Amino acid sequence: MATTAVKYTTERILWKRHWTDRLMSIRLTRDPAFRFTPGQFARLGLQISETGFLWRAYSIVSASWDEYLEFYSIVVPEGEFSPRLARLEVGDEVLVDKTAYGFFTANRFPDGEDLWLLATGTALGPYLSILHEAAVWQRFRHIVLVHSVREAAELSYQNEIAALQRHPLWAEHGHKLQYLPVVTREAVPGALSRRIPAMLQDGTLERTAGLTLSPERSRIMICGSPQMVEDTHRLLKTMGYALSRLSAPAQLALENGW
Ligand SMILES: Cc1cc2nc3c(=O)[nH]c(=O)nc-3n(C[C@H](O)[C@H](O)[C@H](O)COP(=O)(O)OP(=O)(O)OC[C@H]3O[C@@H](n4cnc5c(N)ncnc54)[C@H](O)[C@@H]3O)c2cc1C
């Protein structure tokens, strides 16, 4: 009798952290056969009835070599999936599709001088995984991580970002990373306060980072709210940047956060 191969593994929650009532991180056990390139996303599943499953895409936060898989999740109160995920406890089951998906990876770019990583909200996640690749630290002279949120409490992972700058695997390159937090709905000392496209357009990001943007030297990854991704992409196109494809390497990589 023919059997249908199961396309997912059943994993367990090892750890969870609520950053705010709308933001959480979880770590799941990882099937040893699950492989991914940093920047890719997994499909997480919950079984909600005997035959019913819900699946959602989640960017992987953890390093490719970590024994667990970490995810950074919004909790949308009216959403179908995320409130269920938020109610689970350590030890509970989450399904993980055996395949990792997506092309939002740093290896799609030709080499350049500066790597700009632009995120809103939970789109910080894929960059944390990418920044655990030693090759990324070696390939670029400067790395600028811009994380835009509405309120200061949403600036998650600050200690982890600081630790990245001191990581022994790329210790001599740690100084290359600049972290630029952006908080748009309250004034926070040390944080920028306007939307990413506006700060690209008027030169605020360049001035703050002390770097000049140009198609020759800059490689730019953009991930987050579809509006931010679209506005930023449209602006950068007018400035001479193009989407990087395997057949036509260029400067930009985009991913919508939902
Ligand atoms: C390629 C890809 C990668 C993704 N990676 C992540 C991730 O790493 N973390 C994550 O939390 N979500 C991620 N998402 C979104 C995720 O798949 C779910 O949509 C989200 O977790 C909410 O699920 P839900 O069923 O509760 O609500 P849904 O019905 O799926 O969404 C309801 C509404 O919530 C809003 N929303 C959804 N996701 C977000 C978000 N991340 N931030 C702000 N508002 C949002 C949108 O307005 C959406 O219409 C990703 C989506 C895609 C396509």
Side-chain angles (χ1 to χ4, degrees):
M1 194 172 70
T3 53
T4 315
V6 179
K7 292 192 166 62
Y8 59 83
T9 59
T10 302
E11 306 301 336
R12 289 194 182 276
I13 298 181
L14 292 169
W15 169 94
K16 63 187 286 205
R17 171 172 185 174
H18 286 270
W19 303 93
T20 69
D21 54 0
R22 290 185 61 122
L23 289 172
M24 61 174 284
S25 294
I26 58 165
R27 279 183 195 161
L28 304 180
T29 52
R30 174 178 176 177
D31 186 277
F34 184 87
R35 293 277 176 274
F36 69 97
T37 303
Q40 286 192 300
F41 63 91
R43 283 171 47 77
L44 302 188
L46 296 176
Q47 181 153 15
I48 55 165
S49 67
E50 207 167 310
T51 52
F53 295 84
L54 285 174
W55 292 94
R56 289 290 183 276
Y58 277 91
S59 298
I60 301 163
V61 173
S62 39
S64 55
W65 68 78
D66 278 326
E67 286 179 3
Y68 53 83
L69 291 175
E70 183 165 330
F71 301 96
Y72 178 34
S73 178
I74 187 88
V75 184
V76 185
E78 63 281 11
E80 261 195 299
F81 189 94
S82 57
R84 286 182 162 92
L85 187 68
R87 283 196 295 273
L88 296 181
E89 298 295 343
V90 168
D92 287 344
E93 290 181 354
V94 178
L95 311 177
V96 180
D97 190 320
K98 288 179 178 172
T99 306
Y101 296 89
F103 303 98
F104 190 67
T105 58
N107 59 11
R108 64 184 292 149
F109 290 126
D111 284 347
E113 293 280 304
D114 310 324
L115 178 64
W116 293 76
L117 307 172
L118 311 180
T120 60
T122 57
L124 175 69
Y127 299 140
L128 297 176
S129 185
I130 286 169
L131 287 170
H132 278 89
E133 279 184 283
V136 167
W137 294 85
Q138 289 152 6
R139 280 179 64 200
F140 296 95
R141 286 184 57 193
H142 305 99
I143 303 173
V144 185
L145 174 63
V146 182
H147 186 206
S148 178
V149 298
R150 292 176 177 180
E151 294 166 12
E154 298 166 347
L155 288 174
S156 317
Y157 284 103
Q158 297 206 45
N159 291 338
E160 290 76 5
I161 293 165
L164 275 171
Q165 291 165 315
R166 302 186 299 267
H167 199 291
L169 277 182
W170 44 82
E172 74 271 32
H173 302 293
H175 64 278
K176 294 177 176 177
L177 177 65
Q178 289 195 63
Y179 164 58
L180 305 185
V182 182
V183 181
T184 55
R185 297 220 177 147
E186 57 186 18
V188 175
L192 298 165
S193 62
R194 288 158 57 237
R195 292 187 68 233
I196 287 173
M199 294 194 295
L200 272 175
Q201 187 158 31
D202 74 0
T204 300
L205 286 183
E206 287 172 280
R207 275 194 304 281
T208 309
L211 295 171
T212 305
L213 277 163
S214 77
E216 292 70 37
R217 62 177 290 158
S218 312
R219 305 291 174 258
I220 309 177
M221 302 186 78
I222 307 163
C223 187
S225 81
Q227 192 66 58
M228 183 283 278
V229 172
E230 185 188 333
D231 292 349
T232 308
H233 182 205
R234 192 179 314 123
L235 173 71
L236 287 169
K237 267 201 304 197
T238 66
M239 294 161 68
Y241 299 81
L243 277 182
S244 192
R245 303 182 195 284
L246 273 183
S247 55
Q251 304 86 8
L252 302 180
L254 314 180
E255 186 160 87
N256 282 331
W258 61 89

